[in-house]
Amino acid sequence: MRRKNKILIILLALSLILTSCGARTYSETVFALDTFVSFTLYEEIPPEVKSLIYSYEKMFSRTDEKSELYRLNLEDKANVSEELYSLIEESLKISEDTMGAFDIRIGEITALWDFKSDHPMPPSDEEIKKALSLSRGEIKLLEGTYIESASDIDLGGVAKGYIAEKAVAYLRSLGIESGLISLGGNIASFGKKPDGEERKIGIRDPMSASDTVGYIKLTDGFVSVSGDYERFFLYDGKKYHHIIDPSTGMPAEGNISSVAVISKDGVLADALSTALFVLGYDSSIELYEKGIYDFEAVFIFKDGTVKATDGAEFYRD
Ligand code: ADP
Ligand code: MG
């Protein structure tokens, strides 16, 4: 709870700074999708956009017993909404293209990692082994919108990017031309600021919640950050975070502390930030150079080094 308060204070301070720059800014933050979701617009925030977030939560949550995904995971075969169907379809494609670094079949594994517990501890080797074998089952996209899945699906690495896209589209459909939406580590920017300036999205220093290493200039697009500092616990002096290497069932190891992915495609930005974290720098650059996906990335290494791809409009502080 204390952490939540801290973040709220930061958000509040942020909205005050924004307000002091001229055009009146309206900011609002709600807790949804297991994180803080905030909207910054230059007009009143339509309440429907919040309802939209909650309705997607009811579609994509792995843990909410009333969600559509929960029902699919329980029944193994179900007729689902077109949106759930297409998000799973897209996730499978990204999984293939990232050599399984991104893999939504890890539901049984993520269920073992309780980052919210008062006394979190890593699962046993046996538990991991069992969950790993359960995470290898095929997902079949059947006729109509039927899905059959032999593994429990977790959309935590991609849903926020999808919802960010939908929220922007909704606001635009109302004639709202500019704003910023933040869902946990996923930021959506649309339109220039009223003063004509491009938006600057600060990239957090993984070592310190109150510092940034630089910023990305962004007008229309998405920035998604996956970092080992977002959800983690320490046990016996070792850090366990929430980005899982699907080949081991354990938090992905390596020399990266966070990856920011910038793309016009919110789903891609979100899924790839998770995937690149697991892949590590060299394989990520290979994927980048293949050119099958249009994205840019900023990598922050554990030793503090920062590397950005050529097209990332990243500027150091
Ligand atoms: P956050 O959810 O904190 O914004 P990410 O976008 O990196 O961070 O997503 C991490 C979430 O995605 C985890 O909480 C888990 O639900 C899921 N996840 C973890 N590892 C993977 C993976 N290798 N492939 C797909 N999803 C993953
Ligand atoms: Mg992600």
Side-chain angles (χ1 to χ4, degrees):
M1 198 57 208
R2 238 187 285 140
R3 206 186 114 130
K4 280 188 197 173
N5 283 339
K6 215 164 132 190
I7 297 173
L8 272 178
I9 291 166
I10 295 169
L11 289 169
L12 204 68
L14 187 74
S15 65
L16 285 177
I17 295 166
L18 290 169
T19 321
S20 63
C21 300
R24 172 138 191 220
T25 309
Y26 295 80
S27 290
E28 214 174 310
T29 300
V30 295
F31 194 78
L33 312 162
D34 217 10
T35 189
F36 291 99
V37 176
S38 67
F39 304 89
T40 305
L41 301 179
Y42 306 98
E43 52 199 278
E44 296 231 20
I45 294 153
E48 294 81 6
V49 74
K50 286 179 272 172
S51 318
L52 188 83
I53 305 285
Y54 295 127
S55 68
Y56 279 121
E57 189 168 25
K58 280 272 173 288
M59 205 180 273
F60 301 139
S61 168
R62 180 183 65 80
T63 50
D64 183 338
E65 294 182 9
K66 292 199 182 81
S67 85
E68 218 191 324
L69 181 63
Y70 190 92
R71 184 172 59 89
L72 172 61
N73 281 338
L74 194 70
E75 296 174 1
D76 298 337
K77 182 177 174 183
N79 190 12
V80 300
S81 63
E82 276 177 27
E83 288 191 273
L84 181 57
Y85 190 93
S86 64
L87 188 56
I88 291 176
E89 189 173 24
E90 210 172 335
S91 301
L92 291 177
K93 164 102 181 39
I94 296 173
S95 198
E96 217 180 290
D97 293 331
T98 58
M99 294 157 293
F102 181 78
D103 193 337
I104 57 170
R105 298 175 303 169
I106 58 164
E108 294 275 0
I109 300 169
T110 42
L112 294 177
W113 294 91
D114 183 2
F115 294 93
K116 283 184 274 188
S117 153
D118 285 337
H119 303 286
M121 55 190 280
S124 68
D125 292 347
E126 290 75 56
E127 285 173 307
I128 293 282
K129 213 169 137 199
K130 183 160 170 249
L132 258 183
S133 69
L134 292 170
S135 73
R136 304 267 154 86
E138 197 185 345
I139 299 177
K140 290 186 191 148
L141 301 163
L142 306 174
E143 287 285 297
T145 48
Y146 272 93
I147 291 189
E148 190 178 333
S149 177
S151 290
D152 274 4
I153 295 174
D154 178 351
L155 294 172
V158 76
K160 290 194 283 283
Y162 180 86
I163 299 167
E165 265 182 26
K166 294 295 166 181
V168 169
Y170 175 71
L171 293 173
R172 278 203 158 126
S173 78
L174 300 178
I176 298 174
E177 286 170 359
S178 173
L180 187 78
I181 306 172
S182 154
L183 305 97
N186 297 265
I187 307 244
S189 165
F190 63 107
K192 286 211 161 106
K193 291 199 290 182
D195 59 8
E197 288 270 314
E198 274 187 294
R199 246 177 225 106
K200 292 176 181 174
I201 312 292
I203 300 296
R204 208 199 105 162
D205 180 349
M207 308 289 277
S208 151
S210 54
D211 290 316
T212 55
V213 294
Y215 60 88
I216 287 162
K217 275 196 186 170
L218 185 72
T219 300
D220 290 307
F222 302 84
V223 179
S224 171
V225 184
S226 290
D228 62 6
Y229 54 83
E230 288 171 43
R231 277 166 220 257
F232 70 94
F233 60 81
L234 295 169
Y235 188 83
D236 265 355
K238 195 170 156 35
K239 186 175 187 175
Y240 296 90
H241 61 78
H242 74 314
I243 302 164
I244 302 295
D245 181 342
S247 67
T248 63
M250 297 292 288
E253 301 218 22
N255 55 356
I256 290 181
S257 208
S258 82
V259 183
V261 172
I262 306 121
S263 175
K264 296 268 182 217
D265 181 329
V267 169
L268 192 67
D270 195 3
L272 282 188
S273 67
T274 310
L276 302 194
F277 189 102
V278 174
L279 283 174
Y281 183 73
D282 291 343
S283 303
S284 296
I285 294 302
E286 261 174 50
L287 178 68
Y288 176 77
E289 286 174 349
K290 263 191 195 164
I292 44 173
Y293 289 123
D294 200 2
F295 72 92
E296 301 295 334
V298 179
F299 302 83
I300 306 178
F301 295 83
K302 284 181 182 153
D303 68 1
T305 314
V306 182
K307 287 188 185 170
T309 53
D310 293 341
E313 283 199 76
F314 174 75
Y315 301 86
R316 280 163 199 277
D317 281 333

